[in-house]
């Protein structure tokens, strides 16, 4: 392969379109043998800029996830160029798996990055597993799983520097970066569902702790969905979990928070399907009979069935408050006002709903239907 043929390596059809420029420069230099000066001339950059970025990418390969992503990229380009003399791949990899495409990456970013923006959330990935988990740690140090994501998406997040290493090891942990938060805001802004809602500019101190988003919500009396605005960095469950009852115990125990987070995880997966603006209140009255028993369904369809089963088991009232607070992230006061309840009564009903939801998931585990995503 010619040393100056940069486009033949980094512009392949199999090469993801979302790759950052420094990653393309590194691949062109290491895989195609392009010199730093030829890269600088091709990209209209100073040679020192190219060299600095190439060295930085090489240093980043100490991270096993970054190294794994580069091995898959090298395999992709190696196969596309049919270069049998390329021996840069040293670590084991699965040749059939490529990195996520841009559509999948953006779709998963809006789901995973928003969970990583929550207080105490981090991503954990093991070296030999094909899926990673987003976990959330409470004040007592206990963790709850709040989302699951495939490894190819994690590798893309790391290459784009949307997440960075928090703790290396066989089970490495990552946290969202400022670049990841900015990417989430950009993706939400590009989505027609995210609109500005302030009448005047917010205070800088308050705004730095918020990542705003909107979600389409169908009401039984509405002909079309309306947008509900909420803070992605905080949820009503997290607020209630930090409160204490009269005996000094947490108002919501970790197992109840885990049940609510599981409902939200399924809800988020279900929203990736085609029926994004469906009226979930139909499931509270038995209007949809499409549920097949809560088995190990995969993807959005299986998640939708699990949400429907949980809401039917809770029934009207309990299902309403669980749907609004756990899934729509509607504040407790707003939920009480919308449902016509007296002030400060909603949190009691929500706790009862979470207790019932916990029993529902324990029943599913007994029937072998305790799988998510």
């Amino acid at each position: 392969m010619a040393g100056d043929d940069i486009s033949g390596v980094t512009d392949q059809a199999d090469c993801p379109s979302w790759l950052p420029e420094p990653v393309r420069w590194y691949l062109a230099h290491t895989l195609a043998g392009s010199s730093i000066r030829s890269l600088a001339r091709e990209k209209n950059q100073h040679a020192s800029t190219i060299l600095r970025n190439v060295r930085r990418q090489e240093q980043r390969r100490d991270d096993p996830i970054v190294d794994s992503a580069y091995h898959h990229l090298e395999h992709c380009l190696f196969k596309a160029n049919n270069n049998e003399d390329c021996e840069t791949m040293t670590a084991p990899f699965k040749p059939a798996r490529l990195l996520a495409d841009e559509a999948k990456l953006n779709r998963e970013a809006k789901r995973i990055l928003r969970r990583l923006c929550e207080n105490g959330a981090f991503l954990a990935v093991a070296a030999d597993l094909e899926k990673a988990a987003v976990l959330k740690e409470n004040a007592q140090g206990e963790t709850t799983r709040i989302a699951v994501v495939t490894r190819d998406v994690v590798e893309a997040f790391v290459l784009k520097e949307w997440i960075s290493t928090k703790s290396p090891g066989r089970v490495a942990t990552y946290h969202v970066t400022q670049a990841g938060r900015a990417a989430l805001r950009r993706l939400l802004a590009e989505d027609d569902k995210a609109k500005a809602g302030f009448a005047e500019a917010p205070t800088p101190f308050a705004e730095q702790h918020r990542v705003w988003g909107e979600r389409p919500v169908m009401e039984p009396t509405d002909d079309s969905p309306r947008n509900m605005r909420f803070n992605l960095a905080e949820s009503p469950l997290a607020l209630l979990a930090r409160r204490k009852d009269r005996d000094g115990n947490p108002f919501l125990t970790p197992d109840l928070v885990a049940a609510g987070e599981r409902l939200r995880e399924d809800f988020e997966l279900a929203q990736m399907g085609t029926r994004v603006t469906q009226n979930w209140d139909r499931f509270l009255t038995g209007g949809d009979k499409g549920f097949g028993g809560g088995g190990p369904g995969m993807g959005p369809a299986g998640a939708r069935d699990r949400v429907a089963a949980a809401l039917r088991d809770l029934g009207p009232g309990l299902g309403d408050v669980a749907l609004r607070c756990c899934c729509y992230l509607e504040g407790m006061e707003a939920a009480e006002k919308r449902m016509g309840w007296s002030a400060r009564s909603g949190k009691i009903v929500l706790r009862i709903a979470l207790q019932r939801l916990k029993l529902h998931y324990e029943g599913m585990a007994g029937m072998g239907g305790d799988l998510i995503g």
Side-chain angles (χ1 to χ4, degrees), residues 326-338:
C326 298
C327 301
Y328 292 149
L329 304 184
E330 189 171 16
M332 204 72 262
E333 293 181 2
E336 291 169 348
K337 182 178 179 180
R338 193 174 301 279

Side-chain angles (χ1 to χ4, degrees), residues 31-201:
L31 187 61
S34 301
S35 67
I36 297 297
R37 291 189 179 277
S38 63
L39 276 168
R41 287 194 300 268
E42 176 74 16
K43 302 301 180 182
N44 195 26
Q45 297 283 344
H46 196 278
S48 62
T49 301
I50 300 293
L51 179 60
R52 183 171 60 253
N53 280 277
V54 168
R55 285 178 174 174
R56 183 171 181 273
Q57 294 302 316
E58 183 64 35
Q59 293 172 353
R60 292 187 67 208
R61 295 194 71 160
D62 292 338
D63 185 334
I65 300 300
V66 176
D67 192 54
S68 174
Y70 270 117
H71 281 306
H72 285 98
L73 279 172
E74 290 168 356
H75 170 74
C76 168
L77 299 175
F78 163 77
K79 181 179 178 181
N81 286 277
N82 294 319
N83 187 353
E84 298 181 358
D85 296 328
C86 180
E87 298 293 343
T88 59
M89 295 166 288
T90 57
F93 62 94
K94 294 185 178 180
R97 182 173 70 78
L98 302 178
L99 293 181
D101 57 32
E102 188 168 12
K104 178 181 179 182
L105 177 62
N106 291 340
R107 184 175 65 247
E108 287 287 76
K110 287 184 282 188
R111 183 174 70 94
I112 298 300
L113 291 181
R114 68 175 61 183
R115 300 312 309 262
L116 287 174
C117 286
E118 296 180 16
N119 297 325
F122 61 93
L123 185 143
V125 56
D128 52 352
L129 294 182
E130 286 300 311
K131 287 190 176 182
V134 179
L135 305 175
K136 188 173 182 179
E137 187 176 22
N138 61 18
Q140 290 74 35
E142 300 172 320
T143 57
T144 302
R145 191 189 74 182
I146 58 178
V148 175
V149 60
T150 55
R151 189 185 181 93
D152 60 333
V153 174
V154 175
E155 292 177 355
F157 285 179
V158 173
L159 285 180
K160 292 180 73 68
E161 300 188 58
W162 288 351
I163 58 176
S164 63
T165 307
K166 178 181 180 182
S167 175
R170 182 168 179 80
V171 180
T173 58
Y174 296 81
H175 61 82
V176 65
T177 63
Q178 289 299 324
R181 293 177 184 272
L184 177 61
R185 292 189 181 98
R186 174 180 56 81
L187 290 171
L188 294 177
E190 290 175 354
D191 195 343
D192 293 336
K193 302 166 190 173
K195 305 292 183 181
F198 280 113
E200 56 185 22

Side-chain angles (χ1 to χ4, degrees), residues 7-17 24 76-77 80-81 98 101:
S7 60
V9 176
T10 57
D11 295 335
Q12 290 288 341
D14 292 334
C15 191
S17 59
R24 294 178 181 270
C76 168
L77 299 175
N81 286 277
L98 302 178
D101 57 32

Side-chain angles (χ1 to χ4, degrees), residues 209-239:
H209 299 287
R210 300 187 179 103
V211 180
W212 294 105
E214 291 187 0
R215 174 175 287 132
V217 178
M218 286 291 295
E219 295 286 357
T221 57
D222 291 345
D223 296 329
S224 60
R226 62 179 178 84
N227 287 336
M228 177 180 292
R229 193 163 184 265
F230 58 94
N231 181 15
L232 298 175
E234 191 68 278
S235 68
L237 286 186
L239 293 174

